[in-house]
Amino acid sequence: MISSSSDPLLLRVARGEVAHRPPVWLMRQAGRYMKAYRDLRDKYPSFRERSEIPEVAIEISLQPWKVFQPDGVILFSDIVTPLPGLGIDMDIAEGKGPLIDPPIRTKEQVDNLKILEPEESLPFIRTILQSLSQEISNKSTLLGFVGAPWTLAAYAVEGKGSKTYSVIKNMAFSDPNLLHQLLSKLADAISTYACYQVDCGAQVLQLFDSWAGQLSPQDYDTFALPYQQKVFQQVRQKHPDTPLILLVSSSAGLLERMAQSGADIITIDWSVDMADARIRLGQDMKLQGNLDPGVLFASKKFIRDRIYDTVHKAGFGKHILNLGHGVFPNTPEENVEFFFETAKQLTMVEAV
């Protein structure tokens, strides 16, 4: 049955309703592939400026919406944005990502972490989300997002991004109690922050556990999954009707475990064939993804064929079309436009 609800398309599908086509948006929609963004970056070279000055973050969030009209508009921010509110100093270096100085390595540091008070430490979030909600009205779904405890802990303990995650794995395997203490505090803070975003207007929330794919399955069960569950449970207690999405990078071996998180929607990356993901996760689970971002460098015919293939394999009515991760910096804008045009022309007949 096709929904006649006045709610925006992505929100309806995220809630489990059937619509006339799959909704579509792109992760890292507002980003370096857009000239408008690069021009603004030249004016505001600091990422924290761009994401924490409300009028700048609002403009960046709306840049792709004004050009491509995606079904989802996502807050322009970063997963580490709430960390200063816990007493964890951070910066975001252009091209290098988050930098935490000093990194969190001792029990004393974990004991001294503050309780997150978003209205005090993140007041710009309310301004940004409320303005976005007013701007897009009911024409699109407003997405908020947060980082998951394991991934935020990885940044906090390593002090930066890592290829080996040797420092946090050392803590995990030699002092697990300390890491669990940190993860528990982060889970409470993230839950608070996620609920705050919903209070400010976010209609759907995505949890990024970007680095959980670096864990073995047994360690995922110990250090990632329980804290994903804790965040989702706490958010659901306050906002039971807000759809929740889980993303884990390099997650081919973890899909069934991700389904145990409590997420309503599982993001699939391009390392898994969407048909296999549908079999492994069942017909009832809603999926998001999973085009390789590199596809957007190809010909229009290739892009169209991959869109059709992905939607067909995911199954109509239980799928949000997206990439398996963020748009690459040098992606041609005209190919992004074609991606959206093609997606919006899909019909139920074409998708099955």
Side-chain angles (χ1 to χ4, degrees), residues 114-305:
K114 296 185 291 186
I115 294 174
L116 184 68
E117 301 286 352
E119 198 66 60
E120 294 179 11
S121 60
L122 302 160
F124 48 88
I125 293 295
R126 179 179 293 280
T127 304
I128 296 167
L129 284 171
Q130 288 182 341
S131 298
L132 291 174
S133 180
Q134 184 175 7
E135 177 73 23
I136 66 176
S137 186
N138 232 23
K139 300 171 187 173
S140 187
T141 298
L142 181 57
L143 294 109
F145 72 93
V146 294
W150 166 262
T151 292
L152 288 185
Y155 276 120
V157 173
E158 296 280 344
K160 57 185 179 180
S162 174
K163 292 183 178 180
T164 62
Y165 300 90
S166 56
V167 181
I168 191 170
K169 287 187 177 183
N170 183 6
M171 182 184 289
F173 304 145
S174 63
D175 196 354
N177 290 336
L178 177 59
L179 181 54
H180 281 298
Q181 183 186 358
L182 174 59
L183 290 167
S184 184
K185 287 195 171 189
L186 287 172
D188 288 336
I190 292 161
S191 302
T192 297
Y193 182 39
C195 290
Y196 182 71
Q197 290 189 24
V198 178
D199 291 336
C200 295
Q203 297 168 294
V204 175
L205 281 171
Q206 179 154 296
L207 182 72
F208 284 83
D209 212 347
S210 306
W211 308 132
Q214 303 300 317
L215 291 165
S216 69
Q218 69 190 88
D219 295 320
Y220 180 91
D221 290 345
T222 302
F223 298 108
L225 180 60
Y227 299 99
Q228 295 166 0
Q229 292 170 333
K230 185 175 182 180
V231 171
F232 285 149
Q233 287 166 2
Q234 291 185 14
V235 173
R236 193 156 272 131
Q237 285 173 3
K238 292 187 177 180
H239 299 288
D241 297 325
T242 299
L244 304 171
I245 306 172
L246 175 62
L247 177 146
V248 174
S249 299
S250 304
S251 59
L254 299 169
L255 295 186
E256 292 84 358
R257 286 170 159 82
M258 292 169 66
Q260 299 172 32
S261 66
D264 300 294
I265 303 157
I266 301 296
T267 296
I268 311 298
D269 67 33
W270 62 93
S271 66
V272 181
D273 189 279
M274 187 59 89
D276 294 337
R278 174 54 71 199
I279 292 170
R280 290 170 62 183
L281 291 171
Q283 295 301 313
D284 294 332
M285 176 61 73
K286 293 180 283 293
L287 307 181
Q288 178 174 268
N290 70 333
L291 266 72
D292 183 335
V295 166
L296 296 183
F297 289 103
S299 68
K300 290 183 177 180
K301 181 182 185 304
F302 192 91
I303 294 170
R304 182 175 57 248
D305 289 348

Side-chain angles (χ1 to χ4, degrees), residues 73-143:
V73 172
I74 192 164
L75 167 72
F76 180 75
S77 187
D78 195 273
I79 61 172
V80 297
T81 293
L83 291 184
L86 282 74
I88 300 175
D89 291 333
M90 72 87 183
D91 198 4
I92 302 175
E94 196 68 39
K96 296 182 180 179
L99 301 174
I100 313 294
D101 188 24
I104 305 301
R105 305 276 174 86
T106 68
K107 187 176 188 305
E108 181 181 13
Q109 287 175 296
V110 176
D111 288 340
N112 289 336
L113 292 180
K114 296 185 291 186
I115 294 174
L116 184 68
E117 301 286 352
E119 198 66 60
E120 294 179 11
S121 60
L122 302 160
F124 48 88
I125 293 295
R126 179 179 293 280
T127 304
I128 296 167
L129 284 171
Q130 288 182 341
S131 298
L132 291 174
S133 180
Q134 184 175 7
E135 177 73 23
I136 66 176
S137 186
N138 232 23
K139 300 171 187 173
S140 187
T141 298
L142 181 57
L143 294 109

